[in-house]
Amino acid sequence: MSLLLSEIQGNSKDFLWSRMRREAEEGIAVDPTMLGFLGSSILEQNGLEEALINRLLSRFSHHAFDFHVLENAFYEATASINNWTKIVQKDIFAVFERDPTVHRFLDVILYFKGFHALQIHRIAHVLWNKQRKDFAYYLQSCSSSLFQTDIHPAARIGSGIFLDHATGIVIGETSLIEDNVSILHSVTLGGTGKSGGDRHPKIRRCVLIGAGAKILGNIEVGFCSKVASGSVVLSDVPPHVTVAGIPATILGKTGSEAPAQSMDQTFSCGDGI
């Protein structure tokens, strides 16, 4: 799909919310049995932010926490995230643009567990930084069980992130993921042993990481690079290259100005180098 991220500027919040409400109404018209779910999830909500928190709560509420305690915590955490609404918009657009199975904005906030896991992480990260570490670990643990992703609450993650399928993704404590990155299922951003300190990868902007790739240690994957599926990366990756193999080696230039956006997971050995 082609929808420029520049559309996020201006009145995109109103555009997104109006579009989602229309999509919900159309869904009910096609299948009236969805009235209760689509009505409570979208049509009865007052805006994008409220609808998202409502959906996360519906998936995430647990007997260990009173619903209203969890609700208040979610609202307080998101209120303290700078530009949270804009970040959410960029994450929604990232999924909509990069996943060919997505035909409605509605799908992203209602059904896509990678998006849900990412938003729960954002909340857990706030709690972690406020020294509410037990609460942050609780959210991480529940998210791991529910969404099959394991993102440490301390990990730093930018906006415009696409976790495709999401199952099996592991992101370690000192990892950094910059803006506009796409990560497929079964990817690990891990350490290389049991030593502490800064020990996890730094993923720069616009990187594409293929399914099953393992990136290990305090290393950097450079701007606009591409890691092929199944690769094991143990050393720094320069900008604008494709790496593949065990251990990963440079195959050539990526051939794309923005691999994360193009989602082209093919490569040709020797291109450009």
Side-chain angles (χ1 to χ4, degrees), residues 168-253:
I169 288 176
V170 176
I171 299 174
E173 178 183 11
T174 59
S175 297
L176 168 66
I177 301 172
E178 293 186 342
D179 295 343
N180 299 321
V181 169
S182 292
I183 300 176
L184 280 83
H185 53 284
S186 299
V187 164
T188 297
L189 305 183
T192 57
K194 65 178 183 178
S195 60
D198 193 356
R199 61 196 185 279
H200 294 108
K202 312 298 180 278
I203 310 301
R204 301 306 178 188
R205 291 182 296 114
C206 301
V207 166
L208 170 63
I209 305 177
K214 314 302 176 187
I215 305 174
L216 306 177
N218 183 16
I219 60 177
E220 179 173 312
V221 178
F223 171 70
C224 280
S225 282
K226 180 162 58 174
V227 178
S229 297
S231 299
V232 177
V233 183
L234 301 174
S235 58
D236 288 341
V237 175
H240 300 287
V241 300
T242 295
V243 297
I246 304 175
T249 58
I250 296 174
L251 298 184
K253 296 292 186 182

Coordinates of all heavy atoms in Angstrom, one line a residue, residues 168-253:
G168 N 7.6 -14.7 18.7 CA 9.0 -15.1 18.9 C 10.0 -13.9 19.0 O 11.2 -14.2 19.1
I169 N 9.5 -12.7 18.9 CA 10.5 -11.6 18.9 C 11.0 -11.4 20.4 O 10.2 -11.4 21.3 CB 9.8 -10.2 18.4 CG1 9.6 -10.3 16.9 CG2 10.7 -9.0 18.8 CD1 8.9 -9.1 16.4
V170 N 12.3 -11.3 20.5 CA 12.9 -11.0 21.8 C 13.8 -9.8 21.7 O 14.7 -9.7 20.8 CB 13.8 -12.2 22.3 CG1 14.5 -11.9 23.6 CG2 12.9 -13.5 22.4
I171 N 13.6 -8.8 22.6 CA 14.4 -7.5 22.5 C 14.9 -7.3 23.9 O 14.2 -7.1 24.9 CB 13.5 -6.4 22.1 CG1 12.9 -6.6 20.7 CG2 14.2 -5.0 22.2 CD1 11.9 -5.6 20.2
G172 N 16.2 -7.3 24.0 CA 16.9 -7.3 25.3 C 16.9 -5.9 26.0 O 16.6 -4.9 25.4
E173 N 17.3 -5.9 27.2 CA 17.3 -4.7 28.1 C 17.9 -3.5 27.6 O 17.4 -2.4 27.7 CB 17.9 -5.1 29.5 CG 17.9 -3.9 30.5 CD 18.6 -4.3 31.8 OE1 19.3 -5.4 31.8 OE2 18.5 -3.5 32.7
T174 N 19.1 -3.6 27.0 CA 19.8 -2.4 26.6 C 19.8 -2.1 25.1 O 20.6 -1.4 24.5 CB 21.3 -2.4 27.1 OG1 21.9 -3.6 26.5 CG2 21.4 -2.5 28.6
S175 N 18.8 -2.8 24.5 CA 18.6 -2.6 23.0 C 18.1 -1.1 22.8 O 17.4 -0.5 23.6 CB 17.6 -3.6 22.5 OG 18.0 -4.9 22.6
L176 N 18.4 -0.7 21.6 CA 17.9 0.6 21.1 C 17.4 0.3 19.6 O 18.1 -0.2 18.8 CB 19.0 1.7 21.0 CG 18.7 2.9 20.3 CD1 17.5 3.7 20.9 CD2 19.9 3.8 20.1
I177 N 16.2 0.7 19.4 CA 15.6 0.7 18.0 C 15.1 2.1 17.7 O 14.3 2.6 18.3 CB 14.4 -0.3 18.0 CG1 14.8 -1.7 18.4 CG2 13.8 -0.3 16.6 CD1 13.7 -2.7 18.6
E178 N 15.8 2.6 16.6 CA 15.4 4.0 16.2 C 14.1 4.0 15.4 O 13.5 2.9 15.2 CB 16.6 4.6 15.5 CG 17.8 4.9 16.4 CD 18.9 5.6 15.7 OE1 18.9 5.7 14.5 OE2 19.8 6.1 16.5
D179 N 13.7 5.1 14.8 CA 12.5 5.3 14.1 C 12.5 4.5 12.8 O 13.5 4.2 12.2 CB 12.2 6.7 13.8 CG 12.0 7.6 15.0 OD1 11.8 7.0 16.1 OD2 12.1 8.8 14.9
N180 N 11.2 4.1 12.4 CA 10.9 3.5 11.1 C 11.7 2.2 10.8 O 12.3 2.1 9.7 CB 11.2 4.6 10.0 CG 10.3 5.8 10.1 OD1 9.2 5.7 10.5 ND2 10.9 7.0 9.9
V181 N 11.7 1.3 11.8 CA 12.3 0.0 11.6 C 11.2 -1.0 11.5 O 10.2 -1.0 12.1 CB 13.2 -0.3 12.9 CG1 13.7 -1.7 12.9 CG2 14.4 0.7 12.9
S182 N 11.5 -2.0 10.6 CA 10.6 -3.2 10.5 C 11.3 -4.5 10.9 O 12.5 -4.7 10.5 CB 10.2 -3.4 9.0 OG 9.4 -2.3 8.6
I183 N 10.6 -5.2 11.8 CA 11.2 -6.5 12.4 C 10.2 -7.6 12.2 O 9.0 -7.5 12.6 CB 11.5 -6.3 13.9 CG1 12.5 -5.1 14.1 CG2 12.0 -7.6 14.5 CD1 12.8 -4.8 15.5
L184 N 10.6 -8.7 11.6 CA 9.8 -9.8 11.4 C 9.8 -10.8 12.5 O 10.6 -10.6 13.5 CB 10.1 -10.5 10.0 CG 9.5 -9.8 8.8 CD1 10.3 -8.6 8.4 CD2 9.2 -10.8 7.7
H185 N 9.0 -11.9 12.5 CA 8.9 -12.8 13.6 C 10.2 -13.5 13.9 O 11.1 -13.7 13.0 CB 7.8 -13.8 13.3 CG 7.9 -14.5 12.0 ND1 7.6 -13.9 10.8 CD2 8.3 -15.8 11.7 CE1 7.8 -14.7 9.8 NE2 8.3 -15.9 10.3
S186 N 10.3 -14.0 15.1 CA 11.4 -14.8 15.6 C 12.8 -14.1 15.5 O 13.8 -14.8 15.5 CB 11.5 -16.1 14.8 OG 10.3 -16.9 15.0
V187 N 12.8 -12.8 15.6 CA 14.0 -12.0 15.6 C 14.4 -11.9 17.1 O 13.6 -11.7 18.0 CB 13.8 -10.6 15.0 CG1 15.0 -9.7 15.4 CG2 13.7 -10.8 13.5
T188 N 15.7 -12.0 17.3 CA 16.3 -11.8 18.6 C 17.3 -10.6 18.6 O 18.2 -10.6 17.8 CB 17.0 -13.0 19.2 OG1 16.1 -14.1 19.3 CG2 17.7 -12.8 20.5
L189 N 17.1 -9.7 19.5 CA 18.1 -8.6 19.8 C 18.7 -9.0 21.1 O 18.1 -8.6 22.2 CB 17.5 -7.2 19.7 CG 16.8 -6.8 18.4 CD1 16.3 -5.4 18.5 CD2 17.7 -7.0 17.2
G190 N 19.7 -9.8 21.2 CA 20.2 -10.3 22.4 C 21.6 -10.0 22.8 O 22.3 -9.4 22.1
G191 N 22.0 -10.6 24.0 CA 23.4 -10.5 24.4 C 24.2 -11.7 24.0 O 23.7 -12.6 23.3
T192 N 25.4 -11.7 24.4 CA 26.3 -12.8 24.0 C 26.7 -13.7 25.2 O 27.6 -14.6 25.1 CB 27.6 -12.4 23.3 OG1 28.2 -11.4 24.1 CG2 27.2 -11.7 22.0
G193 N 26.2 -13.4 26.4 CA 26.6 -14.1 27.6 C 25.8 -13.6 28.8 O 24.8 -13.0 28.6
K194 N 26.4 -13.7 30.0 CA 25.7 -13.3 31.2 C 26.2 -12.1 31.8 O 25.8 -11.7 32.9 CB 25.7 -14.5 32.2 CG 27.0 -14.8 32.7 CD 26.9 -15.9 33.8 CE 28.2 -16.3 34.4 NZ 28.1 -17.3 35.5
S195 N 27.2 -11.4 31.1 CA 27.7 -10.2 31.7 C 26.7 -9.1 31.6 O 25.8 -9.1 30.7 CB 29.0 -9.8 30.9 OG 28.6 -9.6 29.6
G196 N 26.7 -8.1 32.6 CA 25.8 -7.0 32.6 C 26.2 -5.8 31.7 O 27.1 -6.0 30.9
G197 N 25.7 -4.7 32.0 CA 26.1 -3.5 31.3 C 25.4 -3.4 29.9 O 24.4 -4.1 29.6
D198 N 25.9 -2.5 29.1 CA 25.3 -2.2 27.8 C 25.7 -3.4 26.8 O 26.8 -3.5 26.4 CB 25.9 -0.9 27.3 CG 25.1 -0.4 26.1 OD1 24.2 -1.1 25.6 OD2 25.4 0.7 25.6
R199 N 24.8 -4.3 26.6 CA 25.2 -5.6 26.0 C 24.3 -6.0 24.8 O 24.4 -7.1 24.3 CB 25.2 -6.7 27.0 CG 23.8 -6.9 27.6 CD 23.9 -7.7 28.9 NE 22.6 -8.0 29.5 CZ 21.9 -7.1 30.2 NH1 22.4 -5.9 30.5 NH2 20.7 -7.5 30.8
H200 N 23.4 -5.1 24.4 CA 22.4 -5.4 23.3 C 22.6 -4.5 22.1 O 23.2 -3.4 22.2 CB 21.0 -5.4 23.9 CG 20.7 -6.4 24.9 ND1 20.6 -6.0 26.3 CD2 20.6 -7.7 24.9 CE1 20.4 -7.1 27.0 NE2 20.4 -8.2 26.1
P201 N 22.0 -4.9 21.0 CA 22.2 -4.2 19.7 C 21.5 -2.8 19.7 O 20.6 -2.5 20.4 CB 21.5 -5.1 18.7 CG 21.5 -6.5 19.3 CD 21.3 -6.2 20.8
K202 N 22.1 -2.0 18.8 CA 21.5 -0.7 18.5 C 21.1 -0.7 17.0 O 22.0 -0.8 16.1 CB 22.6 0.4 18.7 CG 23.3 0.3 20.1 CD 22.3 0.4 21.2 CE 23.0 0.3 22.6 NZ 23.3 -1.1 23.0
I203 N 19.8 -0.6 16.7 CA 19.3 -0.6 15.4 C 19.0 0.8 14.9 O 18.1 1.4 15.5 CB 18.0 -1.5 15.3 CG1 18.3 -2.9 16.1 CG2 17.6 -1.7 13.9 CD1 19.4 -3.7 15.5
R204 N 19.6 1.2 13.9 CA 19.5 2.6 13.4 C 18.2 2.7 12.5 O 17.6 1.7 12.1 CB 20.7 3.1 12.7 CG 22.0 3.0 13.6 CD 21.8 3.8 14.9 NE 23.0 3.7 15.7 CZ 23.0 4.2 17.0 NH1 21.9 4.7 17.5 NH2 24.1 4.1 17.7
R205 N 17.9 3.9 12.1 CA 16.7 4.2 11.4 C 16.6 3.4 10.1 O 17.6 3.2 9.4 CB 16.6 5.7 11.1 CG 16.3 6.5 12.3 CD 16.2 8.0 11.9 NE 17.4 8.5 11.4 CZ 17.5 9.0 10.1 NH1 16.5 8.9 9.3 NH2 18.7 9.4 9.7
C206 N 15.3 3.0 9.7 CA 15.0 2.5 8.4 C 15.6 1.1 8.2 O 15.6 0.6 7.0 CB 15.3 3.4 7.3 SG 14.5 5.0 7.5
V207 N 16.0 0.4 9.2 CA 16.5 -1.0 9.0 C 15.4 -2.0 8.9 O 14.4 -1.9 9.5 CB 17.4 -1.3 10.2 CG1 17.7 -2.8 10.3 CG2 18.7 -0.5 10.2
L208 N 15.6 -3.0 8.0 CA 14.7 -4.1 7.9 C 15.5 -5.4 8.4 O 16.6 -5.7 8.0 CB 14.4 -4.3 6.4 CG 13.6 -5.6 6.1 CD1 12.3 -5.7 6.8 CD2 13.4 -5.8 4.6
I209 N 14.8 -6.1 9.4 CA 15.4 -7.3 9.9 C 14.5 -8.5 9.6 O 13.3 -8.5 10.0 CB 15.6 -7.2 11.5 CG1 16.4 -5.9 11.8 CG2 16.2 -8.4 12.0 CD1 16.5 -5.7 13.3
G210 N 15.0 -9.4 8.8 CA 14.2 -10.5 8.3 C 13.9 -11.6 9.4 O 14.5 -11.6 10.5
A211 N 13.0 -12.4 9.1 CA 12.5 -13.4 10.0 C 13.6 -14.3 10.5 O 14.4 -14.8 9.7 CB 11.4 -14.3 9.4
G212 N 13.6 -14.6 11.8 CA 14.6 -15.5 12.4 C 16.0 -15.0 12.6 O 16.8 -15.7 13.1
A213 N 16.2 -13.7 12.2 CA 17.6 -13.2 12.4 C 17.9 -13.0 13.9 O 17.1 -12.7 14.7 CB 17.7 -11.8 11.7
K214 N 19.2 -13.3 14.2 CA 19.7 -13.1 15.6 C 20.8 -12.1 15.5 O 21.8 -12.3 14.8 CB 20.2 -14.4 16.1 CG 19.3 -15.6 15.9 CD 17.9 -15.4 16.5 CE 17.0 -16.6 16.1 NZ 15.6 -16.4 16.5
I215 N 20.6 -11.0 16.2 CA 21.6 -9.9 16.3 C 22.1 -9.8 17.7 O 21.3 -9.5 18.6 CB 21.0 -8.6 15.8 CG1 20.4 -8.7 14.4 CG2 22.1 -7.5 15.9 CD1 19.7 -7.5 13.9
L216 N 23.3 -10.1 18.0 CA 23.8 -10.4 19.3 C 25.0 -9.5 19.7 O 25.9 -9.4 19.0 CB 24.2 -11.9 19.5 CG 23.2 -12.9 19.0 CD1 23.8 -14.3 19.1 CD2 21.9 -12.8 19.8
G217 N 24.8 -8.9 20.9 CA 25.9 -8.1 21.5 C 25.7 -6.6 21.3 O 24.7 -6.2 20.6
N218 N 26.5 -5.8 21.9 CA 26.5 -4.4 21.8 C 27.1 -3.9 20.5 O 28.2 -3.4 20.5 CB 27.2 -3.8 23.0 CG 27.1 -2.2 23.0 OD1 26.2 -1.7 22.3 ND2 27.9 -1.6 23.8
I219 N 26.3 -4.2 19.4 CA 26.8 -3.9 18.1 C 25.7 -3.0 17.4 O 24.6 -2.8 17.9 CB 27.0 -5.1 17.2 CG1 25.7 -6.0 17.1 CG2 28.1 -6.0 17.9 CD1 25.9 -7.2 16.2
E220 N 26.1 -2.4 16.3 CA 25.2 -1.5 15.6 C 24.9 -2.0 14.2 O 25.7 -2.5 13.5 CB 25.9 -0.1 15.5 CG 25.1 0.9 14.7 CD 25.8 2.3 14.8 OE1 26.2 2.7 15.9 OE2 25.9 2.9 13.7
V221 N 23.6 -1.9 13.9 CA 23.1 -2.1 12.5 C 22.8 -0.8 11.9 O 21.9 -0.1 12.4 CB 21.9 -3.0 12.5 CG1 21.4 -3.2 11.0 CG2 22.2 -4.4 13.1
G222 N 23.6 -0.4 10.9 CA 23.6 1.0 10.4 C 22.4 1.4 9.6 O 21.6 0.5 9.2
F223 N 22.2 2.7 9.5 CA 21.1 3.3 8.8 C 20.8 2.7 7.5 O 21.6 2.4 6.7 CB 21.4 4.8 8.7 CG 20.5 5.6 7.8 CD1 19.2 5.8 8.2 CD2 20.9 6.0 6.6 CE1 18.3 6.6 7.4 CE2 20.0 6.8 5.8 CZ 18.7 7.1 6.2
C224 N 19.5 2.3 7.3 CA 19.0 1.8 6.0 C 19.7 0.5 5.6 O 19.8 0.2 4.4 CB 19.1 2.8 4.9 SG 17.8 4.0 4.9
S225 N 20.1 -0.3 6.5 CA 20.7 -1.6 6.2 C 19.6 -2.7 6.3 O 18.5 -2.5 6.8 CB 21.9 -2.0 7.1 OG 23.0 -1.3 6.6
K226 N 19.9 -3.9 5.8 CA 19.0 -5.0 5.8 C 19.7 -6.2 6.2 O 20.8 -6.6 5.8 CB 18.5 -5.2 4.3 CG 17.5 -6.3 4.1 CD 16.7 -6.1 2.8 CE 17.6 -6.1 1.6 NZ 16.7 -6.1 0.4
V227 N 19.1 -6.9 7.2 CA 19.6 -8.2 7.7 C 18.7 -9.3 7.2 O 17.5 -9.4 7.4 CB 19.5 -8.2 9.3 CG1 20.1 -9.6 9.8 CG2 20.4 -7.1 9.8
A228 N 19.3 -10.2 6.4 CA 18.5 -11.3 5.8 C 18.0 -12.3 6.8 O 18.6 -12.5 7.9 CB 19.4 -12.0 4.7
S229 N 16.9 -12.9 6.4 CA 16.3 -13.9 7.3 C 17.2 -15.0 7.7 O 18.0 -15.5 6.9 CB 15.0 -14.5 6.6 OG 14.1 -13.5 6.3
G230 N 17.2 -15.4 9.0 CA 18.0 -16.5 9.4 C 19.4 -16.2 9.7 O 20.2 -17.1 10.1
S231 N 19.8 -14.9 9.5 CA 21.2 -14.6 9.7 C 21.6 -14.5 11.2 O 20.7 -14.2 12.1 CB 21.5 -13.2 9.1 OG 21.3 -13.3 7.7
V232 N 22.9 -14.6 11.5 CA 23.4 -14.4 12.9 C 24.4 -13.3 12.8 O 25.5 -13.5 12.2 CB 24.0 -15.7 13.5 CG1 24.6 -15.3 14.9 CG2 22.9 -16.8 13.6
V233 N 24.1 -12.1 13.3 CA 24.9 -10.9 13.2 C 25.7 -10.8 14.5 O 25.1 -10.6 15.6 CB 24.1 -9.7 12.9 CG1 25.0 -8.5 12.7 CG2 23.2 -9.9 11.7
L234 N 27.0 -10.8 14.4 CA 27.9 -10.7 15.6 C 28.8 -9.5 15.6 O 29.6 -9.3 16.6 CB 28.7 -12.0 15.7 CG 27.9 -13.3 15.8 CD1 28.9 -14.5 15.7 CD2 27.1 -13.3 17.1
S235 N 28.8 -8.7 14.6 CA 29.6 -7.5 14.5 C 28.9 -6.4 13.8 O 27.8 -6.6 13.2 CB 30.9 -7.8 13.7 OG 30.6 -8.3 12.4
D236 N 29.4 -5.2 13.9 CA 28.7 -4.0 13.4 C 28.4 -4.1 11.9 O 29.2 -4.7 11.1 CB 29.6 -2.7 13.5 CG 29.7 -2.3 15.0 OD1 28.8 -2.7 15.8 OD2 30.6 -1.5 15.3
V237 N 27.3 -3.6 11.5 CA 26.8 -3.6 10.1 C 26.9 -2.1 9.6 O 26.2 -1.3 10.2 CB 25.4 -4.2 10.0 CG1 24.9 -4.0 8.5 CG2 25.4 -5.6 10.4
P238 N 27.6 -1.8 8.6 CA 27.6 -0.4 8.1 C 26.3 0.0 7.5 O 25.4 -0.8 7.3 CB 28.7 -0.5 6.9 CG 29.4 -1.8 7.1 CD 28.4 -2.7 7.8
P239 N 26.1 1.3 7.3 CA 24.8 1.8 6.7 C 24.7 1.3 5.3 O 25.7 1.0 4.6 CB 25.0 3.3 6.7 CG 26.0 3.6 7.8 CD 27.0 2.4 7.7
H240 N 23.5 1.1 4.8 CA 23.1 0.9 3.4 C 23.6 -0.4 2.8 O 23.9 -0.5 1.6 CB 23.6 2.1 2.5 CG 23.1 3.4 2.9 ND1 21.8 3.8 2.6 CD2 23.6 4.5 3.5 CE1 21.6 5.0 3.1 NE2 22.7 5.4 3.6
V241 N 23.8 -1.4 3.6 CA 24.2 -2.7 3.1 C 23.2 -3.8 3.5 O 22.5 -3.7 4.4 CB 25.7 -3.1 3.6 CG1 26.7 -2.0 3.1 CG2 25.7 -3.3 5.1
T242 N 23.3 -4.9 2.8 CA 22.6 -6.2 3.1 C 23.6 -7.2 3.7 O 24.7 -7.4 3.1 CB 21.9 -6.8 1.9 OG1 20.9 -5.9 1.4 CG2 21.3 -8.1 2.2
V243 N 23.3 -7.8 4.8 CA 24.1 -8.8 5.4 C 23.3 -10.1 5.5 O 22.1 -10.1 5.7 CB 24.7 -8.4 6.8 CG1 25.6 -7.2 6.7 CG2 23.6 -8.2 7.8
A244 N 24.0 -11.2 5.4 CA 23.3 -12.5 5.4 C 24.4 -13.6 5.8 O 25.6 -13.4 5.6 CB 22.7 -12.9 4.1
G245 N 23.8 -14.7 6.4 CA 24.7 -15.8 6.7 C 24.9 -16.0 8.2 O 24.5 -15.3 9.0
I246 N 25.7 -17.1 8.5 CA 26.1 -17.4 9.9 C 27.6 -17.7 9.9 O 28.1 -18.7 9.4 CB 25.3 -18.7 10.4 CG1 23.8 -18.5 10.2 CG2 25.7 -19.0 11.8 CD1 23.0 -19.7 10.6
P247 N 28.4 -16.7 10.4 CA 28.0 -15.4 10.8 C 27.7 -14.5 9.6 O 28.2 -14.8 8.5 CB 29.2 -14.9 11.6 CG 30.3 -15.6 11.0 CD 29.8 -17.0 10.6
A248 N 27.0 -13.5 9.8 CA 26.5 -12.6 8.7 C 27.7 -11.9 8.1 O 28.6 -11.4 8.8 CB 25.5 -11.6 9.2
T249 N 27.7 -11.8 6.8 CA 28.7 -11.0 6.0 C 28.0 -10.1 5.1 O 26.8 -10.3 4.7 CB 29.7 -11.9 5.3 OG1 28.9 -12.8 4.4 CG2 30.5 -12.8 6.2
I250 N 28.7 -9.1 4.6 CA 28.1 -8.1 3.7 C 28.0 -8.7 2.3 O 29.0 -9.2 1.7 CB 29.0 -6.9 3.6 CG1 29.0 -6.2 5.0 CG2 28.4 -5.9 2.6 CD1 29.9 -5.0 5.1
L251 N 26.8 -8.7 1.7 CA 26.6 -9.2 0.4 C 26.6 -8.1 -0.6 O 26.9 -8.3 -1.8 CB 25.2 -9.9 0.3 CG 25.0 -11.1 1.2 CD1 23.6 -11.7 0.9 CD2 26.1 -12.1 1.0
G252 N 26.3 -6.8 -0.2 CA 26.2 -5.7 -1.2 C 25.4 -4.6 -0.7 O 25.0 -4.6 0.5
K253 N 25.1 -3.7 -1.5 CA 24.2 -2.5 -1.1 C 22.8 -3.0 -1.0 O 22.4 -4.0 -1.7 CB 24.3 -1.4 -2.2 CG 25.7 -0.8 -2.3 CD 26.0 0.0 -1.1 CE 27.4 0.8 -1.3 NZ 27.7 1.5 0.0

